[in-house]
Amino acid sequence: MPRWRIPLRAPVGLAAAGLLLAGCANPSTGSAADDPTKPVTLKFWHGWSAPGEVKAINDSIARFEKLHPNIKVKATGNVPDATTNQALRAGGGEAPDVVSSFTTNNVGQYCDSGMWVDLDPFMKKTGLDKSKVFPKSLLDYTSYRGNQCALPLLADAFGMYYNKDAFKEAGIERPPRTMSEFIADSKKLTVKDGSSYKRVGFMPDFRLYQNSPDRLFAQWGPKYFDAKGNSRLAEEPSSYEFFKTARKLRDAQGGYKALERFRTSFGDEMSNQNAFLSGKLAMHLDGEWRGLMLNDAKAKFDWGVAPLPVPDDQAETYGRGYLTGTVAGIAHSSKHQNAAWELVKFLTADTDQVVRFANAIHNVPSTFAALKSPKLDADPTFRTFLGIAQNKHSQVMPPSTNGGMYIAQLQDFSYGEEAGDVHDLRGGLRRLDKLIDADTLQSQN
């Protein structure tokens, strides 16, 4: 459940490290001339740290070593992107051979900088047809301008958790499917308590938990960049519909100031005081891992999962959602790239391995075969997310050489917009476009 540890906003240090990575003109060069049948020890750096996650990784490595007795894998966990990036810039014998990252937003930097090698030659050499193995949406967030420098290593899908007891109390028969139903149901489900609330239907505030604006915005299927890589949020019609809908959601439930005061009373996202778990929210945007947490905490109400609503004029896309995930690749400095490819291929493309790993950490499988495997967790709430992951309209964030900075900039803009500080939306979006373009240009120099 790696996304638990990802903040909505990229830390400044990580962003700076990413920019340094993108600007590295001479990455340390390794070798793809090694013999993968010869004895070798690979260094694999990953970000998992929870005991169950680490066990799942170690079990995966044990299965790999059984299939490849000549290859030993030394795994190091709880490694942040910034540490990996510094090691890859330095190169040398201490750098990892195989790397993974929870931050798909940085793939553009990994590919463009040359720090992660292009995997297409390895796939061609070993007969792996990526278009037949991986869903297109997942390939989109593991490549940049034709460079497939990473492959998906499980995915995350975002949907809507809802309190069935609250729905029954409000006389609502099913989860909302369109934005107009979403607004109406949110109002019905909101219960006031004096000047505050006992419960809110849906908290639209962008600072809440996983409510980064790009996740709800994905329901419109926006196009962030034009063919030249320039930001086009001011030209995107759905930008205006998205912010208009978010404003309607707030107004229907008492307005931004009242909702924001209520939000500050919520407990930590990963604690038993989570606002949805404690009954303060009737509907909640979250990822597939939340279901396991609700079960572990023995939620005191009946709950269900559904895709997030879609715009009324895109009703046929219902079932879509926001996708992200973990990615894996090979360090450009590795002198054992063919052996490293054997590990990457096993972790990302071996059906049995992908299914067992997905079941172990309750993430969405990232291959066509694994998504359809009868061995996959049969929990119906989890399978809702499998449907979202396979929906052709689901959206991933487009890669950029400035990593996730453009998302952080959208977040900052959205905080001001929801607070009423943006008086000219079109003008504000134009300024946002210019800011994103300036940072993208800087990351390329």
Side-chain angles (χ1 to χ4, degrees):
M1 292 149 277
R3 245 55 57 201
W4 293 7
R5 295 189 297 278
I6 292 183
L8 291 184
R9 182 188 173 107
V12 173
L14 178 57
L19 290 175
L20 284 171
L21 171 64
C24 183
N26 297 298
S28 179
T29 301
S31 172
D34 62 298
D35 183 348
T37 67
K38 298 294 184 181
V40 65
T41 297
L42 298 176
K43 292 182 287 296
F44 172 36
W45 287 11
H46 63 82
W48 288 284
S49 62
E53 299 169 347
V54 173
K55 181 180 184 303
I57 277 289
N58 290 339
D59 288 347
S60 300
I61 290 172
R63 290 191 288 270
F64 172 77
E65 291 180 337
K66 187 175 181 179
L67 291 172
H68 301 268
N70 64 299
I71 304 177
K72 302 301 178 185
V73 180
K74 181 182 178 182
T76 302
N78 197 25
V79 182
D81 278 22
T83 299
T84 300
N85 293 345
Q86 290 166 3
L88 295 186
R89 287 198 303 276
E94 298 305 313
D97 299 286
V98 176
V99 287
S100 71
S101 171
F102 298 150
T103 314
T104 58
N105 303 334
N106 286 338
V107 167
Q109 293 180 340
Y110 302 149
C111 295
D112 193 53
S113 68
M115 286 294 183
W116 290 31
V117 304
D118 184 0
L119 299 179
D120 277 323
F122 296 92
M123 286 186 274
K124 183 178 181 180
K125 184 162 46 178
T126 55
L128 191 153
D129 186 339
K130 63 183 179 182
S131 64
K132 293 182 179 179
V133 175
F134 305 102
K136 182 181 181 302
S137 57
L138 306 192
L139 289 175
D140 287 345
Y141 72 58
T142 52
S143 65
Y144 182 70
R145 295 187 176 179
N147 183 346
Q148 190 75 52
C149 74
L151 287 176
L153 178 56
L154 302 191
D156 285 319
F158 286 77
M160 187 179 72
Y161 288 82
Y162 66 101
N163 185 324
K164 291 184 177 181
D165 294 345
F167 269 60
K168 184 176 181 181
E169 175 189 312
I172 303 172
E173 295 183 355
R174 60 165 175 78
R177 296 175 183 169
T178 64
M179 290 298 167
S180 60
E181 291 179 350
F182 195 23
I183 295 166
D185 289 351
S186 294
K187 184 175 183 179
K188 287 182 182 178
L189 290 160
T190 297
V191 179
K192 289 288 188 74
D193 181 14
S195 60
S196 186
Y197 301 88
K198 178 181 178 182
R199 181 183 70 218
V200 162
F202 176 81
M203 177 65 75
D205 291 26
F206 297 128
R207 295 180 188 272
L208 174 68
Y209 301 161
Q210 296 292 326
N211 275 21
S212 180
D214 47 299
R215 293 171 185 174
L216 185 58
F217 195 16
Q219 297 307 100
W220 277 262
K223 184 178 179 182
Y224 282 81
F225 299 102
D226 63 21
K228 295 181 179 179
N230 296 319
S231 181
R232 59 177 303 279
L233 289 169
E235 300 174 27
E236 175 59 52
S238 61
S239 296
Y240 303 92
E241 292 301 317
F242 164 62
F243 284 111
K244 180 180 178 181
T245 299
R247 192 177 311 116
K248 286 183 176 180
L249 276 166
R250 292 191 296 271
D251 292 346
Q253 300 170 95
Y256 170 74
K257 290 183 178 179
L259 290 173
E260 186 64 7
R261 281 196 302 270
F262 188 50
R263 184 190 67 81
T264 60
S265 73
F266 294 172
D268 184 79
E269 177 184 3
M270 301 309 165
S271 75
N272 284 346
Q273 298 306 309
N274 173 281
F276 181 71
L277 178 59
S278 61
K280 292 183 176 182
L281 298 176
M283 296 181 286
H284 181 49
L285 183 160
D286 218 329
E288 76 282 345
W289 60 84
R290 180 60 57 185
L292 188 60
M293 294 184 72
L294 292 170
N295 287 333
D296 287 347
K298 296 180 173 55
K300 297 179 180 179
F301 54 88
D302 190 14
W303 57 273
V305 181
L308 286 160
V310 297
D312 290 49
D313 61 355
Q314 298 186 48
E316 74 283 357
T317 67
Y318 180 70
R320 78 192 312 172
Y322 175 96
L323 302 178
T324 185
T326 306
V327 299
I330 299 172
H332 195 273
S333 56
S334 172
K335 298 184 183 300
H336 314 290
Q337 292 178 12
N338 288 314
W341 165 245
E342 292 299 326
L343 177 59
V344 170
K345 182 175 65 171
F346 174 77
L347 292 174
T348 63
D350 182 282
T351 302
D352 183 65
Q353 160 60 23
V354 173
V355 170
R356 293 173 74 171
F357 191 35
N359 285 342
I361 69 171
H362 209 67
N363 277 181
V364 174
S366 43
T367 69
F368 288 121
L371 283 164
K372 299 182 184 304
S373 172
K375 297 179 182 179
L376 196 61
D377 189 340
D379 176 8
T381 59
F382 182 60
R383 288 193 170 271
T384 297
F385 291 100
L386 301 185
I388 293 170
Q390 296 177 81
N391 187 289
K392 67 179 182 179
H393 299 290
S394 290
Q395 185 169 47
V396 302
M397 295 304 292
S400 168
T401 55
N402 82 353
M405 281 303 297
Y406 76 95
I407 301 174
Q409 290 157 343
L410 172 62
Q411 289 168 349
D412 279 344
F413 176 82
S414 300
Y415 298 154
E417 203 287 330
E418 69 179 358
D421 297 333
V422 179
H423 304 293
D424 175 7
L425 183 55
R426 186 174 298 277
L429 289 171
R430 285 173 176 164
R431 287 190 293 274
L432 176 60
D433 283 336
K434 290 181 179 179
L435 178 62
I436 292 172
D437 289 343
D439 281 350
T440 298
L441 182 62
Q442 179 182 354
S443 70
Q444 294 171 337
N445 293 332

